[in-house]
Amino acid sequence: MRRIDWLPWLLLSPTVLLLAIFVVYPALYSIYLSTQNVDPFTHRTIFVGWENYLELAESAEYWKSLKVSLLFTLYTVIPSIVVSLAVALALNAKPYINGFFRTLFLMPVAVSSAMAAMLWIFLYNPTAGFLNYVLSTAGVVGPNWLADPTWSLVAVAIATVWKELGFNVIFFLAGLASVPPELNEAARIDGANAWQRFWRVTLPMLSPTVFFVGVVSVIHSFESFGQIHILTRGGPAGATNVLVYSLYRDAFENFRSGFASAQAVILFAIILAATFVQFRIGQKRVHYA
Amino acid sequence: MAGIELQNVRKDFGTLSVIKGVDLEIHPGEFVVFVGPSGCGKSTLLRMVAGLETVTSGTIRIGDRIVNDVSPKERGVAMVFQNYALYPHMTVADNIGFSLKLSRVPKAEIKKRVEETARVLRIVELLPKKPGQLSGGQKQRVAMGRAMIRNPKVFLFDEPLSNLDAQLRIQMRSEIALLHRRVGATVIYVTHDQVEAMTLADRIVVLHAGHIEQVGAPLDVYRNPQTQFVASFIGTPPMNFVPAQRFPAASLPTKWNGSLKTVGFRAEKTAIGKSDGLVPIGNGRVRLVEPLGLRALVHVELGDQELVTEIDTLDAPSPDSEVPLGVAPADLFYFDQSGRSLGAPL
């Protein structure tokens, strides 16, 4: 009989244990809870089958949350990729300023989301805020960013893009560093201008990075919570009530654990589906060197 | 086909001067090889002709036009890079046709010309593949195809064979020579391999530390090196050098008085043995014998120096034996203090 080598198991056990306690068990438990009604005081549970899911399907509020979440993803992911790629290209072209500015752009990532959100509360203040002051110098009367239903989601999206920017810049800089400089030189000799070199050489070479950043950003955007909690609390009138925030309110304000768990399961399924779709699209478009 | 003229061309990177004033005229259709050790500036000079590096001062002309501020694309040059620089996300056909696509040549025409080029280079079956699926030699051909398809006035090669194995290098070398004969364009070819330089070039340009040491036909440079550097760089194994005072005064020419400092002689002209016709160099101890086949390299320790002779393998002495070395007077080269050739003794 072969002896079992216990050492790898021993070394893996802390990770396995932590994952099991904080990820696997809660995930499985929330699937279980989503089929139950939980009494907020006694924590007694009653099996209700699909009832929580059916209630969600019939809830206009929940469908609105879904729409808000999709819009939020749209408002954050695409601008975030475009802006961070532009910043990375600019930094890459001027290596001697790279170090300083890279740190500058990465700083928001290191700041806690609560701190960052407080900062934006000041910036967005309709009367004393810097943003509306800048607009007023151009003769524009700025909106009440966080209290106006047409602007609040955009305002939260801007704060989110700002915070995540540096993280993506780092990935794009790493991606750019791995593009051999001779490729751009060869393209210059072949007669490509700067724009053509970007579209036909640099961007295809960066496609794995764009893909990675895209997938991670979509997941992040669906899971955004901190800045929304502090900036708008899902308001005004549910304009920023994304799926996670709706889930949070049902779990910790309305004390409906089963109902909230059903939302968690659906959110999980949405993120899984979104990632799966991205991989399917990615297979065709992404070039791995 | 276009000539190229460099006038007092300089290149500084910050305070570091890499090209220190180069004057050179390359005739239309000529095959010129820049050769020199790494760091001598040969690649930088080539990249300046290509337009990939700016010119600090001086002028570069291609044809009748000063091209200092002309973009690479407008210069009518094509370049083959050392690591091929093929676009990994494009097929071989797209790689070769990329420049035509950029200049909006109709698709059918691109296809026709790509296939023509591929036929010349015998890579038709590779056209649908991606560069990642090719061997080194195949990538090299694709890179050449990409350069050829534009019918450029000038071909620039930057150490194109140094990533290939020895056998393939010899094969590709002869193909480049045939290609040049076929298209007749002006070629600048950079290499640190002096065999490539000797076999390919109409003229070779020996570069050293940012300036030109010597320009000339390969055999002329081999036979009449103007500096000690050229003498040591051109020819394998490198030329032997011995201080002049080692030689019996009577065996050396006297016309240069005190300025003669170093005497050089090639390994293949260094004889083992003594005879009346030979200038004696001294007795040395054989350290190593390297048989190459018909000939062998014999390393001989003479005082604090190691000299190399090339002789018939059958005549090679055994290691550790003592042997006398000698050279015919006509095969000696004479250099002054600064390493410049003093010319012929007569």
Side-chain angles (χ1 to χ4, degrees), chain B residues 70-330:
Chain B
V70 175
S71 72
K73 125 187 202 193
E74 310 279 312
R75 294 188 186 200
V77 301
M79 185 157 166
V80 176
F81 292 80
Q82 176 172 4
N83 53 10
Y84 324 120
L86 300 178
Y87 312 116
H89 55 289
M90 297 184 199
T91 62
V92 167
D94 289 341
N95 263 283
I96 295 176
F98 189 55
S99 61
L100 299 183
K101 191 174 178 183
L102 291 173
S103 41
R104 297 178 195 284
V105 174
K107 268 194 179 141
E109 160 105 22
I110 295 180
K111 190 164 181 285
K112 199 178 118 232
R113 282 173 64 182
V114 166
E115 277 168 9
E116 263 171 34
T117 308
R119 231 180 332 239
V120 173
L121 291 165
R122 283 171 287 140
I123 51 173
V124 177
E125 72 285 359
L126 302 180
L127 288 177
K129 294 193 177 179
K130 295 248 176 100
Q133 300 165 271
L134 308 184
S135 69
Q138 290 172 329
K139 285 182 191 166
Q140 182 63 60
R141 280 164 202 270
V142 176
M144 278 166 57
R146 189 171 63 179
M148 278 164 62
I149 197 164
R150 302 164 54 207
N151 295 320
K153 292 181 282 184
V154 175
F155 272 102
L156 305 174
F157 289 91
D158 188 5
E159 308 222 12
L161 305 183
S162 50
N163 285 1
L164 301 178
D165 63 56
Q167 231 169 17
L168 208 50
R169 204 178 304 160
I170 294 168
Q171 188 193 338
M172 291 305 293
R173 198 172 73 202
S174 53
E175 289 198 22
I176 289 175
L178 290 172
L179 173 75
H180 175 243
R181 206 170 300 164
R182 184 188 177 111
V183 298
T186 311
V187 174
I188 303 180
Y189 185 107
V190 163
T191 181
H192 61 263
D193 178 357
Q194 48 121 345
V195 179
E196 271 171 41
M198 297 291 283
T199 50
L200 285 169
D202 293 324
R203 279 194 304 160
I204 65 179
V205 176
V206 183
L207 286 155
H208 177 44
H211 66 267
I212 292 181
E213 287 273 326
Q214 189 169 352
V215 182
L219 284 180
D220 189 43
V221 173
Y222 174 77
R223 288 187 187 130
N224 305 303
Q226 278 162 18
T227 66
Q228 210 173 320
F229 174 81
V230 174
S232 68
F233 195 77
I234 301 294
T236 359
M239 187 182 275
N240 296 306
F241 298 105
V242 171
Q245 70 263 22
R246 279 273 179 82
F247 285 82
S251 61
L252 293 176
T254 50
K255 64 186 255 199
W256 297 300
N257 300 323
S259 55
L260 175 60
K261 275 283 174 269
T262 310
V263 176
F265 42 93
R266 296 205 179 273
E268 58 271 33
K269 299 290 188 186
T270 310
I272 290 180
K274 275 181 181 160
S275 82
D276 289 345
L278 297 179
V279 178
I281 303 166
N283 288 350
R285 198 171 59 86
V286 176
R287 287 200 54 225
L288 180 67
V289 178
E290 296 177 295
L292 303 173
L294 178 64
R295 308 276 279 173
L297 299 181
V298 180
H299 298 250
V300 179
E301 201 175 53
L302 191 84
D304 55 352
Q305 271 190 301
E306 182 168 306
L307 304 178
V308 182
T309 78
E310 189 186 321
I311 57 172
D312 274 354
T313 307
L314 292 175
D315 300 337
S318 54
D320 281 329
S321 57
E322 280 254 321
V323 291
L325 296 177
V327 192

Side-chain angles (χ1 to χ4, degrees), chain A residues 182-183 185 188 190 200, chain B residues 47 51 83 86-87 89 150:
Chain A
E182 306 83 43
L183 289 187
E185 293 179 348
R188 273 170 75 190
D190 273 341
R200 294 179 184 275
Chain B
R47 291 164 58 84
N83 53 10
L86 300 178
Y87 312 116
H89 55 289
R150 302 164 54 207

